[in-house]
Amino acid sequence: MIARPFSERLPGEVDGIAAAGWLRDEPRGVALSGAWLGAATILSSHPLLSVAPDDDPFAALDSLPFELDLGGDRCEATVAGGWFGWLGFGLSRAVERVPPPPPRKLVLPQFDLAFHDHVVLRKADGSWWFQALWTEARAELLSARLACWRSRLSGGAPPVGTFRAEPLTPVGAGLAGHRAAVTETIERIAAGEHSQANLCLRLEAGFEGDPLDLWTTATAAGRPAYAAYIAPNAGDHTVVSLSPELFLRRTGRRVLTRPIKGTAPIASDPEVLTSSEKDRAENVMIVDLMRNDLGRVCQYGSITVEELCALRSAPGVWQLESSVQGQLRPNVTDSQLLRATFPPGSVTGAPKVQALRTIHELEGSARETYCGAVGLCSPVAGVELNVAIRTLELARGRLWLGVGGGIVSDSSPEAEVAEALTKARGVADAAGLALAHERIGAAPARVPFNRAERPDPAQGVIETLRVSAARAAHLPDHLTRLRASCTELGLSLPAEVEARINSAAAELGEGGLRLTVSPSGIGIVTRPLPPTGPMQLLPVAVPGGLGGHKWADRGLIETHSSPGITPLICDSDGSVLEAGYAAVLVAIGRRIVSPPLDGRLLPSLSRERLLHAASRAGWEVCLRELSLSELASADAIVLTSSLRGPHPASLAGRPLPRAAAELCQALQLGSPSEAQRVQRGSDRRRQVQ
């Protein structure tokens, strides 16, 4: 199949951003607006094909679905078509050796690329063009699309719909957690681990409406240089990017990058930013990093810095932007260019790999499209990708936004939190969204930051069951939880798994059974029941927690465990999440308190049963955040797991609370009289104190 560039001018003077409204309900709508390839707007839909989730997205950029004939007059075909979509930040693990990332709030694709064989283009002079990579196989569809757009642009612009969103709210440990992560990063810089690391904060909100209307509203208001709307090929993960930053532009063999580093509120005096040694140092570090990345694929001596720390404005902020260019070596492909430079240096740090380690260890939730790249790779136009900052993402009724900044040796935690909120406010104002009011507040209680790697999701998940009288206890509940994890993580759970568990339980009689599900299959091991005596809890900070799955990789937990001691997993703000092998419940007066199931911790089955027992026994049950200081003064701390059941615990180095053993017994019995007796004892102790 042979494709030839085609271009035809269209009538009409409709605004480019407003015209994107015609993409509504069309398959895989794409809209780019701003400085893309010198054009005001690029629109498309009805792609020819897409890249499968298991394929290599970088390699796809070097491929074409047909033989291309560029002969003849192609002066008007400036874009014609190509690969459109996004590459998520998670692909950093495909190009660099970095540890597992923080938990993902939703399991979503790492990229989304589709090949569009036609575009509708509004040039900077206001003229509209239909451009295509024309093939006989698609001639009927392309002719229909040409006629459709000719008709659309002859009339007025389509209406913009309405949408509703809750206020954007920091998730997980919130502003306090971001402040703590910045503090730890500054300490790592002082220890010589790296010179700069870019840390991000995630905000979320409920959303109702069409994301296309959100993009149209925000782009029209803010006019960002590299705005992009990418509807999904499958599912509902939509990208609304309002980026001001160019990651890569390849035209012929020439490649350009324009890193942005250094930010101040638009209301401030821009001279404060241009004279800031800290902000200029941030920018220069990233310029050096990008020179190094381009040096992997460019001709020796061809890399030049055309601009350094030039002042630019973006929605709500002033920023410093530099410009670095180079000449690609012969035969260097687009995939090689991307592998050499991805992820963008301005959203990682320097040195890049060590900065990526800090990002993966200290951020509380994984980045999705955010801090990756959005744009196009065209056989006619070349490559143009933004840095996916100021980018809203939407899926399953939720909207989220990542904001952050580069941390250097003289950064201030308070100032970095304020800068993140300034960036968020600029996006929110353009999109007509609200920010939830949250004070930066005092520094949170410090928790020892964990230096062990997070669990590796590639090792799969486990389910642990207690076997009594040759039967696996609560097997249907365990299988329901396991199936949910496997579905979300793309793991296969064989239909005969229940029969295999029952067979193993019948052979074991009494003890513990562990089922592992991984990409290589399933495995079952048995062991004696562990002891149920008191445990001491060693606080360990794991930003964002371990997530809602029971990971097969137990390295992090085993590293911080010893006889009688288990890690107490806390978020970076000191909020308590779970113990290494168990859920945590705390008695405070007449209440039983346990952390909420907000995606940062495992939905424990034994905890659920114990909370029901506590409620039946007359306790007031409360699910809310718990602090370390509350555990230190609690009447009782109880751990519970499927193998051990409820058993008492104390913070490491502190005596066991006197009511702990009684509470465990009362919860096991589910007796109102026992519960009231423990509560009365707690009340008396508090009166004495």
Side-chain angles (χ1 to χ4, degrees), residues 293-326:
D293 283 355
L294 290 179
R296 298 176 178 181
V297 289
C298 284
Q299 294 180 12
Y300 180 76
S302 71
I303 298 174
T304 58
V305 178
E306 303 297 318
E307 270 188 314
L308 186 65
C309 297
L311 185 68
R312 301 279 191 271
S313 64
V317 295
W318 293 107
Q319 295 182 319
L320 298 180
E321 179 184 88
S322 296
S323 177
V324 183
Q325 293 191 54

PDB file of all heavy atoms in Angstrom, residues 293-326:
ATOM      1  N   ASP A 293      21.881  14.615  27.326  1.00  0.00           N
ATOM      2  CA  ASP A 293      20.950  13.670  26.701  1.00  0.00           C
ATOM      3  C   ASP A 293      21.028  13.748  25.177  1.00  0.00           C
ATOM      4  O   ASP A 293      21.089  12.721  24.489  1.00  0.00           O
ATOM      5  CB  ASP A 293      19.518  13.957  27.162  1.00  0.00           C
ATOM      6  CG  ASP A 293      19.241  13.442  28.570  1.00  0.00           C
ATOM      7  OD1 ASP A 293      20.128  12.790  29.148  1.00  0.00           O
ATOM      8  OD2 ASP A 293      18.138  13.693  29.083  1.00  0.00           O
ATOM      9  N   LEU A 294      21.030  14.965  24.638  1.00  0.00           N
ATOM     10  CA  LEU A 294      21.120  15.111  23.188  1.00  0.00           C
ATOM     11  C   LEU A 294      22.480  14.643  22.668  1.00  0.00           C
ATOM     12  O   LEU A 294      22.586  14.150  21.536  1.00  0.00           O
ATOM     13  CB  LEU A 294      20.876  16.560  22.781  1.00  0.00           C
ATOM     14  CG  LEU A 294      19.448  17.092  22.941  1.00  0.00           C
ATOM     15  CD1 LEU A 294      19.375  18.549  22.518  1.00  0.00           C
ATOM     16  CD2 LEU A 294      18.460  16.259  22.132  1.00  0.00           C
ATOM     17  N   GLY A 295      23.499  14.768  23.510  1.00  0.00           N
ATOM     18  CA  GLY A 295      24.825  14.328  23.108  1.00  0.00           C
ATOM     19  C   GLY A 295      24.911  12.834  22.836  1.00  0.00           C
ATOM     20  O   GLY A 295      25.830  12.376  22.143  1.00  0.00           O
ATOM     21  N   ARG A 296      23.974  12.073  23.359  1.00  0.00           N
ATOM     22  CA  ARG A 296      23.960  10.634  23.091  1.00  0.00           C
ATOM     23  C   ARG A 296      23.656  10.316  21.631  1.00  0.00           C
ATOM     24  O   ARG A 296      24.031   9.252  21.132  1.00  0.00           O
ATOM     25  CB  ARG A 296      22.900   9.946  23.969  1.00  0.00           C
ATOM     26  CG  ARG A 296      23.133  10.060  25.468  1.00  0.00           C
ATOM     27  CD  ARG A 296      21.964   9.424  26.203  1.00  0.00           C
ATOM     28  NE  ARG A 296      22.139   9.450  27.652  1.00  0.00           N
ATOM     29  CZ  ARG A 296      21.266   8.932  28.515  1.00  0.00           C
ATOM     30  NH1 ARG A 296      20.163   8.347  28.059  1.00  0.00           N
ATOM     31  NH2 ARG A 296      21.487   9.000  29.810  1.00  0.00           N
ATOM     32  N   VAL A 297      22.937  11.224  20.951  1.00  0.00           N
ATOM     33  CA  VAL A 297      22.470  10.919  19.596  1.00  0.00           C
ATOM     34  C   VAL A 297      22.832  12.002  18.581  1.00  0.00           C
ATOM     35  O   VAL A 297      22.540  11.837  17.396  1.00  0.00           O
ATOM     36  CB  VAL A 297      20.936  10.704  19.590  1.00  0.00           C
ATOM     37  CG1 VAL A 297      20.568   9.405  20.269  1.00  0.00           C
ATOM     38  CG2 VAL A 297      20.206  11.879  20.251  1.00  0.00           C
ATOM     39  N   CYS A 298      23.459  13.091  19.020  1.00  0.00           N
ATOM     40  CA  CYS A 298      23.792  14.183  18.107  1.00  0.00           C
ATOM     41  C   CYS A 298      25.267  14.147  17.704  1.00  0.00           C
ATOM     42  O   CYS A 298      26.108  13.558  18.390  1.00  0.00           O
ATOM     43  CB  CYS A 298      23.476  15.534  18.744  1.00  0.00           C
ATOM     44  SG  CYS A 298      21.715  15.926  18.778  1.00  0.00           S
ATOM     45  N   GLN A 299      25.564  14.795  16.600  1.00  0.00           N
ATOM     46  CA  GLN A 299      26.935  14.876  16.122  1.00  0.00           C
ATOM     47  C   GLN A 299      27.797  15.657  17.109  1.00  0.00           C
ATOM     48  O   GLN A 299      27.354  16.630  17.723  1.00  0.00           O
ATOM     49  CB  GLN A 299      26.967  15.555  14.750  1.00  0.00           C
ATOM     50  CG  GLN A 299      26.288  14.765  13.650  1.00  0.00           C
ATOM     51  CD  GLN A 299      26.338  15.482  12.313  1.00  0.00           C
ATOM     52  OE1 GLN A 299      27.052  16.461  12.145  1.00  0.00           O
ATOM     53  NE2 GLN A 299      25.573  14.988  11.349  1.00  0.00           N
ATOM     54  N   TYR A 300      29.015  15.202  17.246  1.00  0.00           N
ATOM     55  CA  TYR A 300      29.952  15.840  18.166  1.00  0.00           C
ATOM     56  C   TYR A 300      30.146  17.306  17.763  1.00  0.00           C
ATOM     57  O   TYR A 300      30.379  17.630  16.603  1.00  0.00           O
ATOM     58  CB  TYR A 300      31.296  15.118  18.144  1.00  0.00           C
ATOM     59  CG  TYR A 300      32.325  15.729  19.065  1.00  0.00           C
ATOM     60  CD1 TYR A 300      32.257  15.522  20.437  1.00  0.00           C
ATOM     61  CD2 TYR A 300      33.356  16.517  18.558  1.00  0.00           C
ATOM     62  CE1 TYR A 300      33.187  16.087  21.294  1.00  0.00           C
ATOM     63  CE2 TYR A 300      34.298  17.090  19.397  1.00  0.00           C
ATOM     64  CZ  TYR A 300      34.210  16.870  20.768  1.00  0.00           C
ATOM     65  OH  TYR A 300      35.126  17.440  21.609  1.00  0.00           O
ATOM     66  N   GLY A 301      30.037  18.197  18.746  1.00  0.00           N
ATOM     67  CA  GLY A 301      30.250  19.617  18.521  1.00  0.00           C
ATOM     68  C   GLY A 301      29.060  20.364  17.962  1.00  0.00           C
ATOM     69  O   GLY A 301      29.136  21.584  17.753  1.00  0.00           O
ATOM     70  N   SER A 302      27.929  19.667  17.714  1.00  0.00           N
ATOM     71  CA  SER A 302      26.781  20.337  17.092  1.00  0.00           C
ATOM     72  C   SER A 302      25.812  20.943  18.105  1.00  0.00           C
ATOM     73  O   SER A 302      24.927  21.707  17.720  1.00  0.00           O
ATOM     74  CB  SER A 302      26.020  19.353  16.198  1.00  0.00           C
ATOM     75  OG  SER A 302      25.330  18.378  16.984  1.00  0.00           O
ATOM     76  N   ILE A 303      25.959  20.618  19.381  1.00  0.00           N
ATOM     77  CA  ILE A 303      24.973  21.060  20.374  1.00  0.00           C
ATOM     78  C   ILE A 303      25.317  22.468  20.837  1.00  0.00           C
ATOM     79  O   ILE A 303      26.446  22.751  21.270  1.00  0.00           O
ATOM     80  CB  ILE A 303      24.927  20.090  21.561  1.00  0.00           C
ATOM     81  CG1 ILE A 303      24.481  18.708  21.075  1.00  0.00           C
ATOM     82  CG2 ILE A 303      23.984  20.605  22.652  1.00  0.00           C
ATOM     83  CD1 ILE A 303      24.533  17.638  22.137  1.00  0.00           C
ATOM     84  N   THR A 304      24.337  23.348  20.750  1.00  0.00           N
ATOM     85  CA  THR A 304      24.522  24.741  21.147  1.00  0.00           C
ATOM     86  C   THR A 304      23.368  25.190  22.031  1.00  0.00           C
ATOM     87  O   THR A 304      22.250  24.677  21.924  1.00  0.00           O
ATOM     88  CB  THR A 304      24.593  25.667  19.917  1.00  0.00           C
ATOM     89  OG1 THR A 304      23.381  25.522  19.154  1.00  0.00           O
ATOM     90  CG2 THR A 304      25.795  25.320  19.046  1.00  0.00           C
ATOM     91  N   VAL A 305      23.644  26.156  22.905  1.00  0.00           N
ATOM     92  CA  VAL A 305      22.617  26.783  23.738  1.00  0.00           C
ATOM     93  C   VAL A 305      22.271  28.115  23.079  1.00  0.00           C
ATOM     94  O   VAL A 305      23.079  29.053  23.094  1.00  0.00           O
ATOM     95  CB  VAL A 305      23.112  26.983  25.177  1.00  0.00           C
ATOM     96  CG1 VAL A 305      22.038  27.684  26.012  1.00  0.00           C
ATOM     97  CG2 VAL A 305      23.491  25.649  25.798  1.00  0.00           C
ATOM     98  N   GLU A 306      21.080  28.189  22.489  1.00  0.00           N
ATOM     99  CA  GLU A 306      20.677  29.383  21.754  1.00  0.00           C
ATOM    100  C   GLU A 306      20.154  30.476  22.687  1.00  0.00           C
ATOM    101  O   GLU A 306      20.322  31.666  22.406  1.00  0.00           O
ATOM    102  CB  GLU A 306      19.598  29.017  20.725  1.00  0.00           C
ATOM    103  CG  GLU A 306      20.023  27.934  19.730  1.00  0.00           C
ATOM    104  CD  GLU A 306      21.193  28.378  18.880  1.00  0.00           C
ATOM    105  OE1 GLU A 306      21.199  29.536  18.427  1.00  0.00           O
ATOM    106  OE2 GLU A 306      22.110  27.562  18.678  1.00  0.00           O
ATOM    107  N   GLU A 307      19.493  30.070  23.760  1.00  0.00           N
ATOM    108  CA  GLU A 307      18.963  31.009  24.754  1.00  0.00           C
ATOM    109  C   GLU A 307      19.185  30.413  26.132  1.00  0.00           C
ATOM    110  O   GLU A 307      19.084  29.200  26.312  1.00  0.00           O
ATOM    111  CB  GLU A 307      17.456  31.236  24.573  1.00  0.00           C
ATOM    112  CG  GLU A 307      17.067  32.354  23.658  1.00  0.00           C
ATOM    113  CD  GLU A 307      15.564  32.612  23.710  1.00  0.00           C
ATOM    114  OE1 GLU A 307      14.798  31.633  23.645  1.00  0.00           O
ATOM    115  OE2 GLU A 307      15.168  33.788  23.818  1.00  0.00           O
ATOM    116  N   LEU A 308      19.454  31.259  27.120  1.00  0.00           N
ATOM    117  CA  LEU A 308      19.638  30.784  28.489  1.00  0.00           C
ATOM    118  C   LEU A 308      18.846  31.664  29.444  1.00  0.00           C
ATOM    119  O   LEU A 308      19.054  32.883  29.503  1.00  0.00           O
ATOM    120  CB  LEU A 308      21.120  30.792  28.864  1.00  0.00           C
ATOM    121  CG  LEU A 308      21.471  30.192  30.224  1.00  0.00           C
ATOM    122  CD1 LEU A 308      21.144  28.693  30.250  1.00  0.00           C
ATOM    123  CD2 LEU A 308      22.941  30.397  30.555  1.00  0.00           C
ATOM    124  N   CYS A 309      17.905  31.031  30.140  1.00  0.00           N
ATOM    125  CA  CYS A 309      17.107  31.705  31.184  1.00  0.00           C
ATOM    126  C   CYS A 309      16.350  32.916  30.650  1.00  0.00           C
ATOM    127  O   CYS A 309      16.324  33.990  31.279  1.00  0.00           O
ATOM    128  CB  CYS A 309      17.988  32.108  32.362  1.00  0.00           C
ATOM    129  SG  CYS A 309      18.756  30.704  33.220  1.00  0.00           S
ATOM    130  N   ALA A 310      15.714  32.763  29.487  1.00  0.00           N
ATOM    131  CA  ALA A 310      14.871  33.827  28.953  1.00  0.00           C
ATOM    132  C   ALA A 310      13.552  33.862  29.710  1.00  0.00           C
ATOM    133  O   ALA A 310      12.999  32.824  30.079  1.00  0.00           O
ATOM    134  CB  ALA A 310      14.630  33.602  27.467  1.00  0.00           C
ATOM    135  N   LEU A 311      13.033  35.061  29.946  1.00  0.00           N
ATOM    136  CA  LEU A 311      11.784  35.224  30.695  1.00  0.00           C
ATOM    137  C   LEU A 311      10.590  34.986  29.786  1.00  0.00           C
ATOM    138  O   LEU A 311      10.501  35.540  28.686  1.00  0.00           O
ATOM    139  CB  LEU A 311      11.716  36.629  31.294  1.00  0.00           C
ATOM    140  CG  LEU A 311      10.525  36.923  32.213  1.00  0.00           C
ATOM    141  CD1 LEU A 311      10.637  36.115  33.503  1.00  0.00           C
ATOM    142  CD2 LEU A 311      10.446  38.421  32.524  1.00  0.00           C
ATOM    143  N   ARG A 312       9.658  34.131  30.218  1.00  0.00           N
ATOM    144  CA  ARG A 312       8.429  33.851  29.480  1.00  0.00           C
ATOM    145  C   ARG A 312       7.251  33.879  30.458  1.00  0.00           C
ATOM    146  O   ARG A 312       7.412  33.619  31.658  1.00  0.00           O
ATOM    147  CB  ARG A 312       8.483  32.474  28.820  1.00  0.00           C
ATOM    148  CG  ARG A 312       9.617  32.280  27.835  1.00  0.00           C
ATOM    149  CD  ARG A 312       9.285  32.890  26.471  1.00  0.00           C
ATOM    150  NE  ARG A 312      10.250  32.490  25.473  1.00  0.00           N
ATOM    151  CZ  ARG A 312      11.388  33.146  25.202  1.00  0.00           C
ATOM    152  NH1 ARG A 312      11.690  34.246  25.883  1.00  0.00           N
ATOM    153  NH2 ARG A 312      12.220  32.709  24.272  1.00  0.00           N
ATOM    154  N   SER A 313       6.057  34.131  29.931  1.00  0.00           N
ATOM    155  CA  SER A 313       4.847  34.069  30.756  1.00  0.00           C
ATOM    156  C   SER A 313       4.023  32.861  30.348  1.00  0.00           C
ATOM    157  O   SER A 313       4.034  32.433  29.194  1.00  0.00           O
ATOM    158  CB  SER A 313       4.010  35.345  30.603  1.00  0.00           C
ATOM    159  OG  SER A 313       3.547  35.469  29.266  1.00  0.00           O
ATOM    160  N   ALA A 314       3.326  32.281  31.318  1.00  0.00           N
ATOM    161  CA  ALA A 314       2.388  31.184  31.117  1.00  0.00           C
ATOM    162  C   ALA A 314       1.208  31.455  32.036  1.00  0.00           C
ATOM    163  O   ALA A 314       1.290  32.341  32.896  1.00  0.00           O
ATOM    164  CB  ALA A 314       3.048  29.846  31.425  1.00  0.00           C
ATOM    165  N   PRO A 315       0.094  30.709  31.885  1.00  0.00           N
ATOM    166  CA  PRO A 315      -1.069  30.991  32.737  1.00  0.00           C
ATOM    167  C   PRO A 315      -0.725  31.034  34.220  1.00  0.00           C
ATOM    168  O   PRO A 315      -0.327  30.040  34.805  1.00  0.00           O
ATOM    169  CB  PRO A 315      -2.014  29.831  32.408  1.00  0.00           C
ATOM    170  CG  PRO A 315      -1.696  29.488  30.998  1.00  0.00           C
ATOM    171  CD  PRO A 315      -0.207  29.674  30.879  1.00  0.00           C
ATOM    172  N   GLY A 316      -0.808  32.227  34.804  1.00  0.00           N
ATOM    173  CA  GLY A 316      -0.620  32.403  36.246  1.00  0.00           C
ATOM    174  C   GLY A 316       0.806  32.545  36.713  1.00  0.00           C
ATOM    175  O   GLY A 316       1.035  32.784  37.900  1.00  0.00           O
ATOM    176  N   VAL A 317       1.791  32.408  35.808  1.00  0.00           N
ATOM    177  CA  VAL A 317       3.185  32.387  36.268  1.00  0.00           C
ATOM    178  C   VAL A 317       4.124  33.060  35.274  1.00  0.00           C
ATOM    179  O   VAL A 317       3.840  33.177  34.086  1.00  0.00           O
ATOM    180  CB  VAL A 317       3.688  30.940  36.498  1.00  0.00           C
ATOM    181  CG1 VAL A 317       2.925  30.265  37.621  1.00  0.00           C
ATOM    182  CG2 VAL A 317       3.597  30.122  35.225  1.00  0.00           C
ATOM    183  N   TRP A 318       5.292  33.503  35.824  1.00  0.00           N
ATOM    184  CA  TRP A 318       6.471  33.809  35.030  1.00  0.00           C
ATOM    185  C   TRP A 318       7.385  32.594  35.086  1.00  0.00           C
ATOM    186  O   TRP A 318       7.458  31.912  36.099  1.00  0.00           O
ATOM    187  CB  TRP A 318       7.225  35.017  35.598  1.00  0.00           C
ATOM    188  CG  TRP A 318       6.520  36.328  35.515  1.00  0.00           C
ATOM    189  CD1 TRP A 318       5.950  37.022  36.538  1.00  0.00           C
ATOM    190  CD2 TRP A 318       6.344  37.124  34.333  1.00  0.00           C
ATOM    191  NE1 TRP A 318       5.407  38.191  36.087  1.00  0.00           N
ATOM    192  CE2 TRP A 318       5.635  38.284  34.723  1.00  0.00           C
ATOM    193  CE3 TRP A 318       6.695  36.966  32.996  1.00  0.00           C
ATOM    194  CZ2 TRP A 318       5.287  39.290  33.823  1.00  0.00           C
ATOM    195  CZ3 TRP A 318       6.347  37.966  32.097  1.00  0.00           C
ATOM    196  CH2 TRP A 318       5.654  39.111  32.510  1.00  0.00           C
ATOM    197  N   GLN A 319       8.117  32.341  33.972  1.00  0.00           N
ATOM    198  CA  GLN A 319       9.025  31.201  33.957  1.00  0.00           C
ATOM    199  C   GLN A 319      10.304  31.549  33.195  1.00  0.00           C
ATOM    200  O   GLN A 319      10.321  32.457  32.360  1.00  0.00           O
ATOM    201  CB  GLN A 319       8.357  29.989  33.292  1.00  0.00           C
ATOM    202  CG  GLN A 319       7.159  29.474  34.061  1.00  0.00           C
ATOM    203  CD  GLN A 319       6.529  28.248  33.437  1.00  0.00           C
ATOM    204  OE1 GLN A 319       6.402  28.162  32.232  1.00  0.00           O
ATOM    205  NE2 GLN A 319       6.137  27.300  34.265  1.00  0.00           N
ATOM    206  N   LEU A 320      11.378  30.811  33.516  1.00  0.00           N
ATOM    207  CA  LEU A 320      12.647  30.941  32.804  1.00  0.00           C
ATOM    208  C   LEU A 320      12.773  29.786  31.816  1.00  0.00           C
ATOM    209  O   LEU A 320      12.637  28.621  32.201  1.00  0.00           O
ATOM    210  CB  LEU A 320      13.823  30.927  33.781  1.00  0.00           C
ATOM    211  CG  LEU A 320      13.873  32.055  34.816  1.00  0.00           C
ATOM    212  CD1 LEU A 320      15.103  31.907  35.702  1.00  0.00           C
ATOM    213  CD2 LEU A 320      13.860  33.431  34.145  1.00  0.00           C
ATOM    214  N   GLU A 321      13.027  30.112  30.562  1.00  0.00           N
ATOM    215  CA  GLU A 321      13.101  29.104  29.500  1.00  0.00           C
ATOM    216  C   GLU A 321      14.435  29.229  28.772  1.00  0.00           C
ATOM    217  O   GLU A 321      14.901  30.333  28.472  1.00  0.00           O
ATOM    218  CB  GLU A 321      11.955  29.298  28.509  1.00  0.00           C
ATOM    219  CG  GLU A 321      11.957  28.314  27.350  1.00  0.00           C
ATOM    220  CD  GLU A 321      10.862  28.621  26.349  1.00  0.00           C
ATOM    221  OE1 GLU A 321      11.096  29.428  25.424  1.00  0.00           O
ATOM    222  OE2 GLU A 321       9.768  28.064  26.500  1.00  0.00           O
ATOM    223  N   SER A 322      15.051  28.095  28.489  1.00  0.00           N
ATOM    224  CA  SER A 322      16.281  28.057  27.705  1.00  0.00           C
ATOM    225  C   SER A 322      16.049  27.255  26.432  1.00  0.00           C
ATOM    226  O   SER A 322      15.037  26.553  26.291  1.00  0.00           O
ATOM    227  CB  SER A 322      17.428  27.449  28.524  1.00  0.00           C
ATOM    228  OG  SER A 322      17.734  28.271  29.641  1.00  0.00           O
ATOM    229  N   SER A 323      16.986  27.343  25.499  1.00  0.00           N
ATOM    230  CA  SER A 323      16.848  26.672  24.208  1.00  0.00           C
ATOM    231  C   SER A 323      18.157  25.979  23.855  1.00  0.00           C
ATOM    232  O   SER A 323      19.212  26.606  23.845  1.00  0.00           O
ATOM    233  CB  SER A 323      16.489  27.696  23.124  1.00  0.00           C
ATOM    234  OG  SER A 323      16.415  27.092  21.853  1.00  0.00           O
ATOM    235  N   VAL A 324      18.070  24.655  23.582  1.00  0.00           N
ATOM    236  CA  VAL A 324      19.241  23.847  23.253  1.00  0.00           C
ATOM    237  C   VAL A 324      18.971  23.141  21.923  1.00  0.00           C
ATOM    238  O   VAL A 324      17.910  22.538  21.738  1.00  0.00           O
ATOM    239  CB  VAL A 324      19.534  22.803  24.348  1.00  0.00           C
ATOM    240  CG1 VAL A 324      20.811  22.028  24.021  1.00  0.00           C
ATOM    241  CG2 VAL A 324      19.643  23.470  25.722  1.00  0.00           C
ATOM    242  N   GLN A 325      19.955  23.210  20.994  1.00  0.00           N
ATOM    243  CA  GLN A 325      19.797  22.578  19.690  1.00  0.00           C
ATOM    244  C   GLN A 325      20.963  21.647  19.396  1.00  0.00           C
ATOM    245  O   GLN A 325      22.052  21.795  19.948  1.00  0.00           O
ATOM    246  CB  GLN A 325      19.739  23.630  18.578  1.00  0.00           C
ATOM    247  CG  GLN A 325      18.509  24.522  18.610  1.00  0.00           C
ATOM    248  CD  GLN A 325      18.388  25.343  17.353  1.00  0.00           C
ATOM    249  OE1 GLN A 325      18.390  24.791  16.245  1.00  0.00           O
ATOM    250  NE2 GLN A 325      18.278  26.657  17.505  1.00  0.00           N
ATOM    251  N   GLY A 326      20.718  20.679  18.496  1.00  0.00           N
ATOM    252  CA  GLY A 326      21.768  19.771  18.059  1.00  0.00           C
ATOM    253  C   GLY A 326      21.431  19.168  16.711  1.00  0.00           C
ATOM    254  O   GLY A 326      20.271  19.217  16.259  1.00  0.00           O
TER     255      GLY A 326
END
